[in-house]
Amino acid sequence: MKQILITNDDGFESKGLLALVEALKPLGHVTIVAPTLEKSACGHSLTLTKPLHFVHLEENFYKLDDGTPSDCIFLSLNKLFSKEKRPDIVISGINIGSNMGEDITYSGTASAAMEAVLQGIPAIAISQVYTEHGKSIDEYGYALAQQSIATLVKKIFEGEFPLPPRKFLNVNVPPIPASECKGFKVTRAGNRLYGHHAEVHYNPRGKEYYWIGLPALGWMETKGHITDFEAINDHYVSITPVHLDMTSYDDINTLEEWL
C-alpha cells in the first residue's frame, strides 16, 4: 500500500486538512502530522530555539506542539518513518486561501512541500482560493479540491511524479462549484500586487499595536505563459511547477560584467 504523509499550515483542526484526508484515504495509508496552531505565512521555517513534541491524537494522526509545517515534515520523515519505508508522497493542504505568485515564499503550505522535496520525497501543495472572507468555501466546500488532488495523486501512483528532484507541484483551486471547473491548467507563478495594509489598534492601557491585513487578490498583467492568477480567474485548477533553486540565471553574465 502506498504511504501518504499529510500536513498543513492551518492547524490540526482545519476543515481543509480533514477534507484532504478524506480524499486521499482510498488511495493509500495516510499519516497526518499537523501544527497545533495556525502557522499561515510562516515560510520555510524550522524551530531551533525550543523543543518540539508529537501529540498522538488518534491512529496515524499527530499534532506537533507549536511546530511549523516544515518541522512537521522534517521530524515525521526522521522519527515516524524508517529510512527503509518512507512516504511515497507528501501532500500539504488543503490550505484555506490561495498560494499564488510571490505568496509561495510566505506560504507555510508550500514550505512543507519544499521540505519534503529537500528530503527526497515528491510533494504537492494544494490551496483553496476563496472570495468574500471565505464565503465561497461555506457555499461550495472542498469538493473540487478533493477531486483535483485525488486525480493528481492517482495519476502519480499509476505512473510517476512528473518533476525531477527538488521540485514540487503548487496547486490552486478556483472558488467555484466543481461542475463549473474547466479542468487543469499548467501555469507559471504570477506577480501579485501587494498593499501595505496594517490596522492600528490600542490595548486597554492605551498602548498602540498593529495587525497586518490581508492583501487583495490582484495581480500584474505580464506577458508569457499563463499565470496561476489568470487560470483561477478563468475557472481552471492551476498547477505550477516550483523549484527551490532561486538563482537568477539570466542575470549571471550581467552581474559578472558589473563586477
Side-chain angles (χ1 to χ4, degrees), residues 84-154:
E84 293 73 29
K85 189 157 187 173
R86 308 187 87 197
D88 294 285
I89 196 165
V90 167
I91 312 293
S92 181
I94 299 169
N95 188 64
I96 301 173
S98 65
N99 277 305
M100 300 187 288
E102 294 91 347
D103 277 1
I104 295 170
T105 64
Y106 290 109
S107 169
T109 303
S111 294
M114 293 179 192
E115 187 61 34
V117 297
L118 282 178
Q119 301 284 340
I121 309 296
I124 302 175
I126 180 167
S127 303
Q128 175 62 65
V129 183
Y130 65 73
T131 59
E132 299 181 60
H133 304 287
K135 184 178 179 182
S136 58
I137 293 180
D138 295 336
E139 187 172 356
Y140 308 129
Y142 296 95
L144 178 54
Q146 288 177 303
Q147 292 175 21
S148 300
I149 194 62
T151 298
L152 293 173
V153 171
K154 190 179 301 183

Side-chain angles (χ1 to χ4, degrees), residues 39-48 52 67-74 105-108 111-112 114-115:
K39 293 291 183 178
S40 296
C42 69
H44 193 187
S45 58
L46 290 173
T47 302
L48 305 179
L52 297 168
T68 68
S70 297
D71 290 329
C72 290
I73 298 304
F74 180 88
T105 64
Y106 290 109
S107 169
S111 294
M114 293 179 192
E115 187 61 34

Side-chain angles (χ1 to χ4, degrees), residues 52-235:
L52 297 168
H53 307 276
F54 286 111
V55 179
H56 186 250
L57 301 173
E58 55 185 75
E59 186 178 5
N60 303 314
F61 193 171
Y62 303 83
K63 64 179 181 179
L64 192 62
D65 196 18
D66 203 26
T68 68
S70 297
D71 290 329
C72 290
I73 298 304
F74 180 88
L75 290 176
S76 296
L77 294 179
N78 287 284
K79 298 303 177 184
L80 297 182
F81 293 87
S82 66
K83 291 183 178 179
E84 293 73 29
K85 189 157 187 173
R86 308 187 87 197
D88 294 285
I89 196 165
V90 167
I91 312 293
S92 181
I94 299 169
N95 188 64
I96 301 173
S98 65
N99 277 305
M100 300 187 288
E102 294 91 347
D103 277 1
I104 295 170
T105 64
Y106 290 109
S107 169
T109 303
S111 294
M114 293 179 192
E115 187 61 34
V117 297
L118 282 178
Q119 301 284 340
I121 309 296
I124 302 175
I126 180 167
S127 303
Q128 175 62 65
V129 183
Y130 65 73
T131 59
E132 299 181 60
H133 304 287
K135 184 178 179 182
S136 58
I137 293 180
D138 295 336
E139 187 172 356
Y140 308 129
Y142 296 95
L144 178 54
Q146 288 177 303
Q147 292 175 21
S148 300
I149 194 62
T151 298
L152 293 173
V153 171
K154 190 179 301 183
K155 184 174 179 62
I156 290 166
F157 284 171
E158 290 174 352
E160 60 183 6
F161 193 67
L163 301 179
R166 300 204 175 205
K167 298 184 181 183
F168 69 94
L169 298 177
N170 186 49
V171 178
N172 282 276
V173 180
I176 58 174
S179 60
E180 295 182 11
C181 182
K182 297 178 181 178
F184 293 103
K185 184 73 73 174
V186 177
T187 63
R188 64 182 174 89
N191 298 118
R192 188 156 186 169
L193 292 171
Y194 285 95
H196 304 282
H197 179 65
E199 294 184 358
V200 181
H201 297 274
Y202 298 88
N203 71 14
R205 294 184 173 84
K207 185 174 178 61
E208 187 174 278
Y209 67 92
Y210 305 93
W211 199 296
I212 296 176
L214 291 173
L217 192 59
W219 68 93
M220 301 177 191
E221 296 292 339
T222 54
K223 294 181 179 179
H225 194 82
I226 185 172
T227 67
D228 41 16
F229 296 103
E230 293 167 319
I232 292 298
N233 192 56
D234 292 341
H235 290 189

Side-chain angles (χ1 to χ4, degrees), residues 28-46:
H29 183 275
V30 173
T31 301
I32 310 109
V33 182
T36 300
L37 305 173
E38 182 180 346
K39 293 291 183 178
S40 296
C42 69
H44 193 187
S45 58
L46 290 173

